[in-house]
Amino acid sequence: MASEYEMSVNDYIGIIKHRAVLVSVCITVILGLSVLVAMSIPPVYESSGTILVESQQISPDLVAANNNTFADERIEVIRQRVMTREHLEAIIDKYNLFSSEIRRLSVTEKIDEMRNAITVSLVSAAVKGRGEVTIAFRVGFEHNQPEVATQVANELVTLFLDENIKQRTERASETTEFLTQEADKLRVELEILENRLADFKQAHSNALPEHQELRMNMLSRAETELKEVDRDYKAAREELRFNELEVKAASAGVASKAGASGSAASQPQDLDSLKAEYTRLLSLYTEAHPDVRAVKRKIAALEAARGAGNGAVTSVSLDIAKAQARVAASEASIKSLADQKQQVLAKIDAYEAQILETPQVERGLVTLTRDHDNARKKYEEIRTKEMGAKISESLEQENKAERFVLLEAPLMPEKPVRPNRKKVVAMGFVLAPVGTGALVMLLELLNQRVRGVEALASVLGRRVLGTIPYIHTRAELARRKRLQALILLGGVLLIAGLLVLVHFLYMPLDLLVYKALSRFA
């Protein structure tokens, strides 16, 4: 039974020799294709500018910043605003981008290509206490023409800078406008509450809590006045009863001669005493006071009695007239004291009603005052924020707040960023032997020929007694020489092509030789 034959190294060498032409052609073709692909891919140039995120120039302790968002968030918002259809379409039309394509692109497709060609990369740095912070960002554009890439990159950088100023200014203006409107609303509300509070105080002016102590003092004073009026009222009643008794006694003729003579002698003295008493009372009280009015009536009665006694003789004696005058004065004094008592009682009732009403008034006043204070505090807070917003708006308008500063303007790119021709050619050097080996293995699997004595013995299961070597003809030898010459020529051309590629893609050959010799020197 034949055993399975395992190929040796000599068999592989024999296969390579047998397929030498195919191997050479495959390697040459793959290397040539890789070089052709590397040279045929159009170059892509990228021009980019660096924009620095500069912090606020004035200390935040003096002027608070209006925008407290992170820089990367603002950059992303600005990027979305810059890469709108309107802006990109204007740039495409201005520089006639994507017009040399093989197929005609629609406007939407051009805008998509434009967005894919724009690059925005953040530059971060570690800041103590804040972690990774964005300090700058790069804006770039890729195109197959370096001039166009530079021009478009400058346009994009300008758009980013302008859009940042526009956004921050608009935000500051909107903030100021909003706070101004809110302050005006709160001012109207505050005025309404002030009017309500003033109307309430005016409607309950007699029961305001701040006048409670005054009302208590006035009530105490009224009670004291009531006690004095009661005392005077009782004294007037006693005086009335005494005067009535005198009138009765004088009418009955009880008065003695001595009494009559004494009264006649004392009449002028009594009139003078009453006038002195009247002067004293006027220094203490007003003319409306009951005591003043009573003394005044007594003086009037005595003067009337004196005039009647001097002018004509009447049937009534002077004592009766005096007594009747005192009775009339006492009655008038009692009536006046009674009226005064009623007035004092009315005042006491009014004070007591006001004192009882004060807690209810105080409750309503506290509610209105609390609403007024809250509205005033809100109004003051909004006004403070409004002033801060106006200062922030001034900072933005004068470009003193956080801003974007062009650190590096886009420059003309000297080398393309894509494709990497060296990598493409290197990939060809890798694919050439791999592809050739795969092709040779596939052909050998499809070919069932027997190679060598050992393979034949393995197939037949018998020992080979002898072998006859292959005898080449002259034609075969000549063909082999021509093939060797072609292979040698192909190798020379391949080496020359590699040297050309190295010269143009990697480094000039004279410089490469100089560097190599300098290492050995």
Side-chain angles (χ1 to χ4, degrees):
M1 183 177 180
S3 61
E4 185 177 356
Y5 174 72
E6 294 183 0
M7 296 181 65
S8 62
V9 177
N10 294 328
D11 295 330
Y12 287 111
I13 294 175
I15 293 173
I16 293 174
K17 289 181 179 181
H18 180 71
R19 304 285 186 181
V21 176
L22 180 62
V23 170
S24 301
V25 171
C26 287
I27 291 176
T28 304
V29 170
I30 294 175
L31 289 178
L33 288 176
S34 64
V35 173
L36 182 62
V37 170
M39 298 300 294
S40 62
I41 296 177
V44 177
Y45 296 89
E46 181 183 12
S47 179
S48 62
T50 303
I51 299 175
L52 177 66
V53 181
E54 194 174 61
S55 60
Q56 181 173 315
Q57 296 182 358
I58 300 176
S59 175
D61 297 333
L62 300 176
V63 179
N66 186 40
N67 195 344
N68 296 322
T69 58
F70 293 104
D72 51 355
E73 295 180 6
R74 294 196 300 277
I75 294 171
E76 180 62 25
V77 172
I78 294 173
R79 188 180 75 85
Q80 294 297 330
R81 288 191 174 188
V82 169
M83 297 178 65
T84 58
R85 186 182 183 92
E86 179 182 0
H87 289 157
L88 298 184
E89 189 173 355
I91 296 175
I92 291 172
D93 295 337
K94 182 177 180 180
Y95 296 101
N96 196 20
L97 301 178
F98 311 109
S99 59
S100 60
E101 302 289 339
I102 297 177
R103 65 184 184 90
R104 187 176 182 83
L105 299 177
S106 63
V107 177
T108 303
E109 290 175 338
K110 288 182 180 180
I111 291 174
D112 292 338
E113 292 290 336
M114 182 76 177
R115 287 172 178 165
N116 293 330
I118 297 174
T119 59
V120 179
S121 58
L122 304 180
V123 179
S124 301
V127 179
K128 185 176 181 181
R130 297 175 60 186
E132 290 289 331
V133 178
T134 301
I135 60 173
F137 63 99
R138 295 187 180 93
V139 179
F141 181 73
E142 297 177 353
H143 197 265
N144 54 8
Q145 298 179 12
E147 299 84 0
V148 176
T150 305
Q151 293 172 352
V152 176
N154 279 303
E155 288 281 343
L156 293 174
V157 168
T158 303
L159 281 176
F160 268 84
L161 295 175
D162 294 343
E163 191 63 34
N164 176 62
I165 296 175
K166 179 181 177 182
Q167 179 190 5
R168 295 183 68 91
T169 305
E170 286 180 353
R171 179 172 296 183
S173 300
E174 291 175 358
T175 302
T176 304
E177 183 179 358
F178 170 76
L179 292 175
T180 302
Q181 293 175 356
E182 290 298 317
D184 293 338
K185 292 179 182 178
L186 288 176
R187 179 177 56 79
V188 173
E189 182 180 352
L190 184 61
E191 290 177 355
I192 293 174
L193 290 174
E194 287 177 350
N195 293 332
R196 290 175 58 186
L197 184 60
D199 294 340
F200 184 85
K201 287 185 176 181
Q202 185 176 1
H204 302 86
S205 58
N206 295 328
L208 295 177
E210 57 264 26
H211 300 156
Q212 182 75 345
E213 185 177 357
L214 177 61
R215 282 190 294 273
M216 295 296 293
N217 293 333
M218 293 176 69
L219 177 61
S220 177
R221 195 176 299 172
E223 291 176 348
T224 303
E225 185 179 355
L226 179 61
K227 293 179 181 179
E228 293 177 356
V229 171
D230 282 337
R231 184 176 64 250
D232 294 341
Y233 183 80
K234 292 177 180 180
R237 295 287 296 179
E238 292 295 332
E239 184 180 359
L240 177 60
R241 284 195 295 270
F242 178 75
N243 291 332
E244 287 176 348
L245 291 176
E246 283 188 350
V247 170
K248 290 180 181 180
S251 299
V254 180
S256 61
K257 293 179 181 180
S261 60
S263 297
S266 63
Q267 180 178 350
Q269 182 65 31
D270 292 339
L271 183 58
D272 295 337
S273 300
L274 289 175
K275 289 182 178 182
E277 181 67 18
Y278 178 74
T279 303
R280 187 184 67 82
L281 291 175
L282 280 179
S283 63
L284 298 176
Y285 307 106
T286 61
E287 292 184 358
H289 197 273
D291 294 343
V292 177
R293 294 169 64 184
V295 173
K296 187 176 181 180
R297 282 194 293 270
K298 291 179 181 180
I299 294 172
L302 289 177
E303 288 177 349
R306 177 184 295 180
N310 294 331
V313 178
T314 61
S315 58
V316 183
S317 64
L318 184 58
D319 292 335
I320 295 174
K322 289 170 58 178
Q324 288 177 349
R326 287 195 294 271
V327 170
S330 298
E331 289 177 350
S333 178
I334 290 172
K335 185 174 182 297
S336 176
L337 291 172
D339 295 338
Q340 188 177 0
K341 181 178 181 180
Q342 293 298 324
Q343 294 176 0
V344 174
L345 289 174
K347 287 198 297 184
I348 291 174
D349 293 338
Y351 291 149
E352 290 178 348
Q354 292 172 5
I355 292 172
L356 293 175
E357 186 184 0
T358 299
Q360 298 296 332
V361 174
E362 184 177 8
R363 186 178 295 110
L365 185 63
V366 166
T367 302
L368 289 175
T369 305
R370 182 178 63 247
D371 296 340
H372 175 268
D373 292 341
N374 292 336
R376 181 175 54 80
K377 289 179 181 178
K378 290 181 181 178
Y379 177 73
E380 292 175 354
E381 290 176 359
I382 290 295
R383 281 299 182 190
T384 303
K385 292 180 180 179
E386 181 187 2
M387 292 300 297
K390 288 182 179 179
I391 295 175
S392 299
E393 184 178 2
S394 299
L395 287 177
E396 297 295 344
Q397 292 175 351
E398 297 176 6
N399 206 15
K400 299 293 184 181
E402 183 181 270
R403 57 183 179 176
F404 289 170
V405 179
L406 183 60
L407 191 62
E408 293 181 1
L411 301 176
M412 182 80 70
E414 298 177 354
K415 295 182 180 180
V417 293
R418 290 196 309 271
N420 192 337
R421 305 184 191 278
K422 299 177 184 179
K423 289 184 179 180
V424 175
V425 175
M427 186 65 68
F429 277 97
V430 174
L431 291 178
V434 174
T436 302
L439 179 61
V440 171
M441 290 180 62
L442 177 62
L443 293 177
E444 289 299 323
L445 289 176
L446 296 176
N447 189 1
Q448 299 295 329
R449 63 185 294 181
V450 178
R451 297 181 181 279
V453 177
E454 295 180 358
L456 180 62
S458 174
V459 172
L460 298 176
R462 297 177 183 273
R463 184 178 179 182
V464 178
L465 298 178
T467 60
I468 300 174
Y470 184 79
I471 301 173
H472 296 280
T473 63
R474 291 181 179 179
E476 290 176 344
L477 292 174
R479 187 167 58 252
R480 175 180 291 182
K481 289 180 180 180
R482 288 196 300 272
L483 180 60
Q484 290 176 353
L486 290 175
I487 292 174
L488 180 62
L489 179 61
V492 172
L493 293 176
L494 180 61
I495 293 173
L498 292 176
L499 292 176
V500 171
L501 292 176
V502 170
H503 180 79
F504 288 102
L505 298 180
Y506 179 68
M507 185 181 297
L509 292 178
D510 54 349
L511 183 59
L512 182 63
V513 172
Y514 177 76
K515 292 180 68 176
L517 293 176
S518 63
R519 290 186 179 182
F520 295 102

